[in-house]
Amino acid sequence: MNGLSFHPAYLDRPAQEALLASLAPLIARAPFFRPTMPKTGKPFSVEMTNLGPLGWVSDREGGYRYQATHPVTGQAWPAIPQALLDLWQAVAHYPVAPQACLVNLYRDGAKMGLHVDADERDRAAPVVSISLGDSAIFRLGGATRGGPTSSLKLNSGDVVVLGGASRHFYHGIDRVLSGSSTLVPGGGRINLTMRVVG
Ligand code: SIN
Ligand code: FE2
């Protein structure tokens, strides 16, 4: 197998609501920002923020990287809530705690092109992904760009663990099915990915 494990409906609706409620004050302190592409400065359609000692950011000048502070407020990122650390413990099967939880907000047709998560030194650790809100079509390829891909519908409460070989596979979000969930105030999808940066 490729090391991907899929846990559909890992979080039930009350657990999804509790998780979102726990995130609200953290996101108020570390508001969503819109990253830009290295070199071109083209804005992402996805808005982002982070939790944990390190957060993933991107802009024209500095490119893709992890840093300890929010690029707009200059403040340290809020800590990763214990419930998320517990979820990591339960599904990651990895002895090290995540240092970064990237929070992606997909509104208004936002999507994410095929990419490999490659900015972490520790690439043996899995990436744990939690979906909240509107359903999304997740696309998974292989280790090289341009190979065959398959798609997987991710619904609110689903958890995906990209471990083993799949940790290094191309993946992205083709589209979000607008209005498919009532969870996120204002609509859209929130995806959390926890990573060990190393
Ligand atoms: C990502 O690859 O960072 C996000 C994937 C997702 O939104 O499910
Ligand atoms: Fe990714």
Side-chain angles (χ1 to χ4, degrees), residues 46 48 56 102 104 106 112-113 115 117 127 129-131 136 138 154 160 162 171-173 189-193 195:
V46 178
M48 296 181 174
W56 190 88
L102 173 64
N104 289 142
Y106 297 77
M112 190 176 290
H115 66 277
D117 292 4
V127 171
S129 155
I130 304 162
S131 293
F138 177 77
L154 298 181
V160 175
L162 291 172
H171 61 276
I173 294 293
R189 171 174 187 262
I190 290 177
N191 172 261
L192 308 170
T193 46
R195 299 105 181 270

Side-chain angles (χ1 to χ4, degrees), residues 51-117:
L51 308 172
L54 291 171
W56 190 88
V57 301
S58 176
D59 53 39
R60 186 205 294 257
E61 301 74 27
Y64 300 156
R65 64 196 185 275
Y66 282 92
Q67 65 181 41
T69 55
H70 190 288
V72 179
T73 69
Q75 300 295 304
W77 307 103
I80 302 175
Q82 190 60 43
L84 285 175
L85 297 174
D86 291 346
L87 192 155
W88 169 276
Q89 276 272 46
V91 301
H93 306 300
Y94 197 73
V96 180
Q99 291 152 296
C101 179
L102 173 64
V103 185
N104 289 142
L105 174 65
Y106 297 77
R107 290 217 214 257
D108 305 326
K111 55 194 179 172
M112 190 176 290
L114 282 176
H115 66 277
V116 176
D117 292 4

Side-chain angles (χ1 to χ4, degrees), residues 11-71:
L11 300 174
D12 63 13
R13 175 77 187 207
Q16 295 166 36
E17 288 172 356
L19 176 55
L20 203 57
S22 75
L23 295 177
L26 308 180
I27 292 169
R29 274 163 53 203
F32 286 110
F33 62 94
R34 192 177 295 279
T36 55
M37 291 295 289
K39 300 194 183 78
T40 63
K42 185 175 182 287
F44 283 43
S45 61
V46 178
E47 294 164 75
M48 296 181 174
T49 188
N50 290 272
L51 308 172
L54 291 171
W56 190 88
V57 301
S58 176
D59 53 39
R60 186 205 294 257
E61 301 74 27
Y64 300 156
R65 64 196 185 275
Y66 282 92
Q67 65 181 41
T69 55
H70 190 288

